[in-house]
């Protein structure tokens, strides 16, 4: 397949590029759907969506971009932002580190000396972070979290109760980690409450387009490019991007940063969210996962987009700094159309 040249980037050529990528990778059937949370095993392996939302709110999408799935570990990025806002960077660092582990996302490990979980992107760190969310009780904490997700996405969101119950009844490793952290004073006595909130945040439903808007909000300094709501203090965006870059893809994080070179976060339901700082957000949804828990089609799509447009943050051509400028501020040559036919280009308000 010959992909369109990056030399003459327009909205139309970018949309065509995404459509070619979708055609190229739809037949890739490697990987397996996560089944350790029984409800996740029901996902459709053929479901495949790609969406890009630019910092000025333009949407490029192809495939199943409006199929709902649970956000899973991608939620960790946003709840970390919320905890930073609640407590500040210095306090957060006493409860969770920023060091990649090289281990699986559910490894039962803490830093030998400090007893902190290594980083907020692995399960142990995420549970510690979630336990810090402020509120007078479980309902207020959950509502604050849902409000935060709403600001990032731009519409109300819901928790998939079946997935929540499925995680809650089978999450023995997470429960073990929470008790280990309680033993070392890293979380307080409300262990079950913290776990419930963590299972709820993982069970928030989104679609591929929502994820791209969330990524674009991070790319746009915490301001949702569609609603213009400030979803997170811009001062904490660097914290999110740093841990995404070093820890967001688990034990694939090193290879990912070498090959793709962009901050990202994946989840076991098959989503990958990528941020091109100050340019755009990218999301891919495809449930079959590789051995490390990352979407197989998602990884390939992200590699191709990054390489084709020179988006690696340390690429000397630095195309990423002028991507949106080249793309132009208006969709070119295609009627504004984001009506879910999988071939849309336009803004969310079209
Ligand atoms: O804690 C769990 O196992 C899930 N709720 C989230 C895991 C996840 O998405 C890890 N990602 N690759």
């Amino acid at each position: 397949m010959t992909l369109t040249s990056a030399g003459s980037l327009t909205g139309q050529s970018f949309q065509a590029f995404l459509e070619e990528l979708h055609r190229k990778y739809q037949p890739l059937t490697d990987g397996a759907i996560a089944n350790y949370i029984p409800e996740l095993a029901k996902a459709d392996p053929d479901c495949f969506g790609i969406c890009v939302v630019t910092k000025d709110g333009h949407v490029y999408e192809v495939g199943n971009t409006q199929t709902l799935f649970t956000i899973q570990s991608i939620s960790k990025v946003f709840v970390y932002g919320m905890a930073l806002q609640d407590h500040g960077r210095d306090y957060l660092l006493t409860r969770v580190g920023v060091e990649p582990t090289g281990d699986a996302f559910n490894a039962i490990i803490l830093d030998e000396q400090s007893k902190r979980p290594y980083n907020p992107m692995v399960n142990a760190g995420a549970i510690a972070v979630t336990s810090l969310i402020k509120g007078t009780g479980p309902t207020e904490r959950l509502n604050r979290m849902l409000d935060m997700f709403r600001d990032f996405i731009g519409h109300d969101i819901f928790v998939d109760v079946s997935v929540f119950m499925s995680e809650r009844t089978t999450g023995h490793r997470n429960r073990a980690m929470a008790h280990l952290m309680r033993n070392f004073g890293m979380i307080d006595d409300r262990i079950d409450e913290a776990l419930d909130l963590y299972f709820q945040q993982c069970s928030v439903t989104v679609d591929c387009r929502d994820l791209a808007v969330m990524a674009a909000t991070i790319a746009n300094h915490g301001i949702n490019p569609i609603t213009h709501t400030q979803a997170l203090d811009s001062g904490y965006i660097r914290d999110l991007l740093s841990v995404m870059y070093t820890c967001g893809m688990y034990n694939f994080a090193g290879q990912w940063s070498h090959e793709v070179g962009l901050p990202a976060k994946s989840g076991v339901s098959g989503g990958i969210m990528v941020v091109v700082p100050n340019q755009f957000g990218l999301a891919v949804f495809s449930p079959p996962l590789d051995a490390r828990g990352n979407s197989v089609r998602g990884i390939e799509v992200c590699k191709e987009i990054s390489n084709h447009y020179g988006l690696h943050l340390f690429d000397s051509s630095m195309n990423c700094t002028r991507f949106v400028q080249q793309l132009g501020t208006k969709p070119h040559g295609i009627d504004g159309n984001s009506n879910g036919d999988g071939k849309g280009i336009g803004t969310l308000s079209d």
Side-chain angles (χ1 to χ4, degrees), residues 15 18-19 22 48-51 60-65 342-344:
Q15 175 67 27
L18 295 185
E19 287 170 15
H22 193 270
F48 180 26
I50 309 172
C51 184
Y60 300 84
E61 58 183 353
V62 58
N64 306 110
T65 54
K343 294 208 168 124

Side-chain angles (χ1 to χ4, degrees), residues 36-37 72-73 76 105 123 167 174 198 202 250 266-268 293:
Y36 76 102
I37 300 168
Q72 293 298 332
S73 279
K76 295 168 180 172
F105 64 86
N123 288 7
E167 292 218 32
N174 288 329
Y198 170 73
C202 290
Y250 305 113
S266 67
V268 286

Side-chain angles (χ1 to χ4, degrees), residues 9 94 99 134 223 281 283 296-298 306:
L9 180 61
T94 66
E99 218 47 72
K134 285 187 177 167
I223 300 170
V296 174
R297 290 190 188 104
S306 177

Side-chain angles (χ1 to χ4, degrees), residues 33-164:
I33 291 178
N35 58 9
Y36 76 102
I37 300 168
E39 277 298 304
L40 292 187
K42 296 179 179 169
D44 175 1
D46 295 328
C47 207
F48 180 26
I50 309 172
C51 184
V52 164
V53 175
T54 65
K55 65 175 183 174
D56 49 17
H58 286 87
V59 180
Y60 300 84
E61 58 183 353
V62 58
N64 306 110
T65 54
Q66 292 181 53
T67 302
L68 290 175
F69 56 95
T70 53
I71 188 169
Q72 293 298 332
S73 279
I74 301 171
S75 65
K76 295 168 180 172
V77 173
F78 303 95
V79 179
Y80 182 48
M82 200 178 166
L84 281 162
Q85 254 178 196
D86 276 357
H87 298 276
R89 186 176 294 138
D90 291 344
Y91 182 73
L92 255 277
L93 278 173
T94 66
R95 295 304 187 98
V96 62
V98 287
E99 218 47 72
T101 64
D103 286 306
F105 64 86
N106 57 3
I108 304 186
I109 45 165
L110 298 175
D111 183 277
E112 279 275 309
Q113 281 195 321
S114 66
K115 308 299 182 200
R116 289 177 311 181
Y118 276 90
N119 67 67
M121 301 293 106
V122 291
N123 288 7
I127 293 166
V129 165
T130 300
S131 77
L132 296 174
I133 295 307
K134 285 187 177 167
T136 53
T139 309
E140 187 178 316
R141 283 188 267 279
L142 174 62
N143 284 338
R144 285 193 66 230
M145 198 178 263
L146 296 179
D147 287 349
M148 175 277 295
F149 281 120
R150 182 203 55 214
D151 289 348
F152 269 97
I153 294 172
H155 60 77
D156 284 335
I157 49 106
F158 302 94
V159 170
D160 182 324
V161 178
S162 305
V163 175
F164 165 63

Side-chain angles (χ1 to χ4, degrees), residues 150-348:
R150 182 203 55 214
D151 289 348
F152 269 97
I153 294 172
H155 60 77
D156 284 335
I157 49 106
F158 302 94
V159 170
D160 182 324
V161 178
S162 305
V163 175
F164 165 63
M165 288 309 289
S166 194
E167 292 218 32
R168 189 181 204 230
T169 45
T170 58
H172 305 301
R173 286 187 77 91
N174 288 329
R175 223 166 273 287
M177 264 178 300
H179 281 274
L180 186 66
M181 289 192 288
R182 177 70 199 104
N183 176 63
F184 291 117
M186 282 296 140
I187 64 173
D188 65 25
D189 279 333
R190 295 167 300 142
I191 302 173
D192 289 333
E193 202 192 286
L195 283 164
D196 274 356
L197 192 55
Y198 170 73
F199 295 139
Q200 283 158 349
Q201 78 180 57
C202 290
S203 306
V204 160
T205 56
V206 291
D207 64 22
C208 188
R209 192 196 279 182
D210 292 334
L211 265 194
V213 173
M214 295 169 95
T217 301
I218 299 177
N220 194 35
H221 317 287
I223 300 170
N224 182 312
I226 312 290
T227 64
H228 308 291
T229 303
Q230 184 89 46
L232 181 73
D233 287 351
S234 59
Y236 291 121
I237 292 295
R238 67 166 236 207
D239 301 69
L240 272 50
L241 291 172
S242 306
V243 293
M244 286 169 73
Y245 194 78
T246 54
C247 317
M249 302 299 282
Y250 305 113
N251 38 342
F252 186 65
Q255 215 174 311
W256 170 274
S257 52
H258 186 249
E259 286 181 41
V260 180
L262 293 167
K265 185 75 197 82
S266 67
V268 286
S269 50
I272 298 184
M273 171 186 86
V274 184
V275 177
V276 184
N278 202 32
Q279 300 296 312
F280 66 84
L282 158 68
V284 186
F285 173 57
S286 166
L289 309 177
D290 63 20
R292 287 139 162 165
N294 297 318
S295 167
V296 174
R297 290 190 188 104
I299 297 264
E300 295 308 317
V301 166
C302 295
K303 275 188 198 166
E304 287 232 20
I305 294 178
S306 177
N307 288 331
H308 189 74
Y309 292 106
L311 298 174
H312 192 300
L313 287 181
F314 309 127
D315 188 324
S316 55
S317 66
M318 296 287 278
N319 279 352
C320 69
T321 59
R322 49 195 167 83
F323 189 90
V324 169
Q325 201 185 334
Q326 287 182 28
L327 209 52
T329 52
K330 291 206 168 77
H332 294 261
I334 301 176
D335 291 339
N337 170 12
S338 333
N339 58 6
D341 62 2
K343 294 208 168 124
I345 175 173
T347 65
L348 281 186

